[in-house]
């Protein structure tokens, strides 16, 4: 598998699937989640609502992932995953790794070859960027998947350099 790191906006990526840093309600929010719903249009929320009604009445658990259409986005699918809120006292690294493993498992089910991830949990959920980069890259490297390319789409230079220092070229 090829891992690439780019500076950019995940909503503009030409990949089979983009991963959304969602929350367990699946009903949208701020940050990357807000951007995906805004640019992807109402078809994404409509599918999220159906998934809630059929499978996730109590919400999607932290570390789990589920796919919907990508609506008007260039990607074909959005894989919604719920990152853990950072805690300095409770080690939630496994849950953050799980977001990556479960998203790739869903990508395999869909037949997605190229998948773009944002830096899950590093915004509103407060995870320090360097630590999140280490966990995300390790999780993707250790995954057994048929996905051919994982692209981390980092929103600013600080995020890009944090990922680059964990993934020397
Ligand atoms: N493309 C790529 N990365 C982005 C984009 C974008 N368009 N927009 C923001 N980021 P966050 P979380 C980066 O807060 O911490 C939502 O309300 C951002 O700079 O989106 O997992 C959900 O509904 C940061 O590095 O997600 C949840 O309630 C990273 O994406 C909660 O926020 C993640 O920031 C999830 O919090």
């Amino acid at each position: 598998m090829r891992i690439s790191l780019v500076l950019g906006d995940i909503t503009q990526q030409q990949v089979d699937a983009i991963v959304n840093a969602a929350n367990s309600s699946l009903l949208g929010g701020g940050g990357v989640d807000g951007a995906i719903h805004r640019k992807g249009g109402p078809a994404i929320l409509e599918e999220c609502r159906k998934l809630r009604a059929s499978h996730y009445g109590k919400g999607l658990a932290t570390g789990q992932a589920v796919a919907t259409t990508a609506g008007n986005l260039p990607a074909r699918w959005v894989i919604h995953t719920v990152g853990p809120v950072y805690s300095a006292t409770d080690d939630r690294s496994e849950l953050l790794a799980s977001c990556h493993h479960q998203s790739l498992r869903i990508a395999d089910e869909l037949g997605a070859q190229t998948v773009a991830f944002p830096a899950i949990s590093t915004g509103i959920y407060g995870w320090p960027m360097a630590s999140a980069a280490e966990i995300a890259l390790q999780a993707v490297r250790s995954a057994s998947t048929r996905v051919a390319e994982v692209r981390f789409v980092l929103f600013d230079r600080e995020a890009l350099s944090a990922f680059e220092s964990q993934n020397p070229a």
Side-chain angles (χ1 to χ4, degrees):
M1 180 218 288
R2 189 172 115 77
I3 297 179
S4 56
L5 309 177
V6 303
L7 187 64
D9 179 344
I10 202 162
T11 63
Q12 295 178 355
Q13 302 301 307
Q14 310 262 355
V15 286
D16 295 332
I18 63 170
V19 176
N20 181 18
N23 62 65
S24 70
S25 81
L26 291 174
L27 299 179
V32 72
D33 193 8
I36 287 172
H37 281 281
R38 214 164 35 245
K39 297 192 186 161
I44 301 177
L45 188 58
E46 198 177 307
E47 268 192 47
C48 284
R49 286 191 199 283
K50 285 188 187 147
L51 280 167
R52 261 191 76 104
S54 61
H55 290 84
Y56 304 106
K58 291 182 182 156
L60 181 65
T62 304
Q64 296 300 307
V66 70
T68 66
T69 174
N72 303 325
L73 297 172
R76 239 174 117 183
W77 299 285
V78 175
I79 299 172
H80 306 263
T81 189
V82 184
V85 174
Y86 179 71
S87 162
T89 49
D90 180 26
D91 182 6
R92 300 179 179 163
S93 312
E94 286 300 323
L95 287 167
L96 185 53
S98 171
C99 289
H100 296 82
H101 288 144
Q102 292 300 321
S103 296
L104 291 172
R105 182 181 65 76
I106 300 285
D108 281 338
E109 281 177 18
L110 296 166
Q113 295 280 307
T114 50
V115 179
F117 281 87
I120 298 167
S121 288
T122 63
I124 292 162
Y125 284 178
W127 208 293
M129 193 59 78
S131 163
E134 183 182 4
I135 295 163
L137 283 161
Q138 170 56 29
V140 165
R141 283 191 204 109
S142 68
S144 97
T145 173
R146 290 189 304 281
V147 169
E149 183 194 347
V150 166
R151 186 182 304 169
F152 284 98
V153 181
L154 291 326
F155 209 43
D156 57 34
R157 296 213 165 266
E158 185 215 331
L160 180 64
S161 8
F163 274 71
E164 279 172 349
S165 46
Q166 299 291 337
N167 195 48

